[in-house]
Amino acid sequence: MDAVRILHVTPYYKPAYAFGGVVRSVEGMAMALVERGHDVTILTTDALDQRRRYRGPLDERIDGVRVLRRPNVSQRLRGGLNLSTPRSMKKTAEVILPAIDIVHLHEFRTLENLLVTPVARQLVKPMLLSPHGTLNLSTGRGSLKSAWDRILSPAVAARIDHVSALSESELAEAKTLWRRFGARQQPTRFSVIPNGVQLEDYDRTKAAADFHAQFGLADAPAVLFMGRLHKRKGVDVLIKAFKAADVADARLLIVGPDDGMLQTLNALTGGDRRVTFTGYLEGAARLGALAAADIFALPATGEGQPIAALEALAAGLPVVLSPGCNLDAAAEIGAGYVVEAKVDAFAEKLRTLLTDAGLRRRMGAKARRLAKERYAWDSIAERLERVYLAVAQRSNRAVVAQ
């Protein structure tokens, strides 16, 4: 595909939003597209986390990607409702969109989409949306989302040419939601394109030895959880399952920032020294955790497709996942297990893997192969290119027809 100019619109971007799966997804996607010769711009905000703003340049290049940040009006809304309030976003869109070929929106119910999509539609710019698991009302702030859908969502949905879901379940959610919003003259198209990983980042190196030394793991087999400490991630279920598995020399590593559950989780451990809370890790430390672990486990609900689980596959870790992770392929090829997010079910699979090093090695090899064959960012970017081309061609035909 010839080089195109792509504008990604997202509420948050690196270095931001600790452990945000959407941020990591947009980052990987943007870098892969740049490597394939495209011109990529990110239009985002200055939000870091629920309290801090980005203090660097508001217009800069990061890894070949131009990043334009607009200041948030209210940090209180960012912290309380996870809602960014970008100042001058519409004006910025009016300036940069004439030179853009395609607009790629990330997440659905955002003020960014409300501000950018009318400008893009007026300029007849094709638009693609990646919801990133945000369509479901059960993932939090359900009342706000319902009100948003009644008042604001139908107009935004009518402007979108293509929805790219992460999984078949998200695809079904999107189609149902769009039917409820009502049809348009040129109907929205749908496809499934999963998240990706940069495989070379997850080769096992001395980072494993460094991590072992830092956290005193010795030669004990370690189960890794990586994500926010939030009820939806199921970390409480995992701690109970790990204790129920009752493998004396095993360790459980809980890697991620507190999102309101740390006190409850500490009480759940009952002082068990086999459970280690590392807090938020980034860079080499994050890779070290993946390299040092032997099993990855995530009993989450309402996920789109967790980047952390894909990273674990790329690192060659057998996985124990819930159906909510939308990675049934791991179980289908023998790279891990997909079981209900219940204590007994997870405990059984953890015990099986913790007590059989040979099984872990065989499953880990299949996990790495799965990541390489289905989830490498370069191949995901190639699939995106095909969708971009199809969306652009449809948009051009519509203009000619007018």
Side-chain angles (χ1 to χ4, degrees):
M1 180 180 179
D2 293 337
V4 295
R5 297 161 297 182
I6 307 159
L7 177 67
H8 291 270
V9 181
T10 179
Y12 321 110
Y13 191 64
K14 68 176 288 190
Y17 199 50
F19 259 83
V22 176
V23 172
R24 296 183 68 80
S25 178
V26 177
E27 174 191 1
M29 187 184 302
M31 291 175 63
L33 289 166
V34 165
E35 288 175 4
R36 295 181 66 84
H38 302 293
D39 186 295
V40 178
T41 299
I42 304 287
L43 181 57
T44 185
T45 74
D46 66 352
L48 280 177
D49 55 29
Q50 295 182 353
R51 294 173 296 278
R52 299 177 299 148
R53 294 177 184 269
Y54 183 65
R55 298 303 180 187
L58 296 182
D59 186 351
E60 62 181 332
R61 283 205 174 266
I62 303 177
D63 300 318
V65 179
R66 185 187 182 191
V67 182
L68 288 174
R69 302 180 195 274
R70 301 297 86 187
N72 269 299
V73 174
S74 172
Q75 283 296 97
R76 178 174 295 181
L77 284 175
R78 166 68 183 94
L81 296 176
N82 193 25
L83 182 67
S84 60
T85 50
R87 183 185 295 122
S88 69
M89 180 71 76
K90 183 177 180 181
K91 185 177 295 185
T92 302
E94 290 171 343
V95 171
I96 65 175
L97 273 173
I100 294 297
D101 296 312
I102 192 160
V103 179
H104 192 147
L105 309 165
H106 297 275
E107 302 187 59
F108 179 50
R109 302 175 185 92
T110 72
L111 285 177
E112 287 78 10
N113 291 349
L114 289 175
L115 295 168
V116 172
T117 58
V119 181
R121 181 52 61 210
Q122 184 177 8
L123 294 171
V124 199
K125 300 296 179 179
M127 282 179 278
L128 180 141
L129 169 72
S130 291
H132 295 286
T134 62
L135 297 178
N136 198 308
L137 299 183
S138 67
T139 58
R141 299 179 298 279
S143 297
L144 175 62
K145 290 179 179 179
S146 293
W148 191 287
D149 283 351
R150 287 194 302 273
I151 301 168
L152 302 171
S153 292
V156 174
R159 301 177 187 126
I160 292 169
D161 298 284
H162 194 104
V163 176
S164 174
L166 290 171
S167 64
E168 292 293 337
S169 62
E170 185 171 67
L171 178 70
E173 286 178 353
K175 287 183 175 180
T176 298
L177 200 56
W178 257 245
R179 281 195 295 270
R180 181 149 58 86
F181 292 151
R184 47 175 272 189
Q185 187 174 0
Q186 182 176 324
T188 302
R189 302 288 179 90
F190 300 86
S191 65
V192 174
I193 300 179
N195 273 325
V197 284
Q198 200 70 29
L199 287 170
E200 55 268 27
D201 290 346
Y202 304 97
D203 291 331
R204 290 174 180 265
T205 63
K206 81 178 199 58
D210 293 344
F211 195 90
H212 272 270
Q214 181 180 356
F215 292 97
L217 298 184
D219 294 324
V223 179
L224 174 66
F225 167 92
M226 192 172 275
R228 292 178 296 116
L229 307 189
H230 186 277
K231 182 71 175 176
R232 184 163 60 86
K233 299 292 184 177
V235 63
D236 53 336
V237 173
L238 180 58
I239 289 174
K240 293 174 184 177
F242 175 79
K243 294 180 72 174
D246 196 25
V247 178
D249 63 342
R251 297 289 297 271
L252 174 60
L253 304 173
I254 307 293
V255 176
D258 183 26
D259 198 359
M261 285 196 73
L262 183 58
Q263 186 174 354
T264 299
L265 298 175
N266 270 320
L268 269 182
T269 67
D272 191 335
R273 294 188 176 183
R274 298 176 303 159
V275 182
T276 299
F277 293 89
T278 71
Y280 172 56
L281 299 179
E282 60 184 352
R286 178 185 177 87
L287 296 177
L290 287 159
D294 299 279
I295 302 162
F296 178 85
L298 183 60
T301 56
E303 292 284 295
Q305 191 178 65
I307 288 285
L310 296 181
E311 291 174 330
L313 294 172
L317 298 182
V319 297
V320 185
L321 306 172
S322 60
C325 294
N326 292 300
L327 277 170
D328 291 348
E332 290 166 3
I333 73 153
Y337 301 107
V338 175
V339 296
E340 293 298 322
K342 296 180 179 178
V343 173
D344 289 348
F346 264 71
E348 177 190 350
K349 299 308 181 186
L350 290 179
R351 188 182 303 113
T352 297
L353 285 167
L354 285 168
T355 55
D356 192 334
L359 179 61
R360 293 198 301 269
R361 284 192 297 272
R362 293 190 297 274
M363 282 192 160
K366 292 177 181 178
R368 174 74 178 182
R369 187 164 63 249
L370 175 63
K372 181 178 180 180
E373 292 175 354
R374 298 197 194 183
Y375 302 111
W377 264 126
D378 186 61
S379 63
I380 299 299
E382 185 178 0
R383 293 171 64 178
L384 265 175
E385 287 176 338
R386 292 196 292 269
V387 172
Y388 288 162
L389 181 60
V391 172
Q393 288 175 340
R394 289 182 66 223
S395 180
N396 291 337
R397 286 197 296 270
V399 171
V400 171
Q402 290 175 2

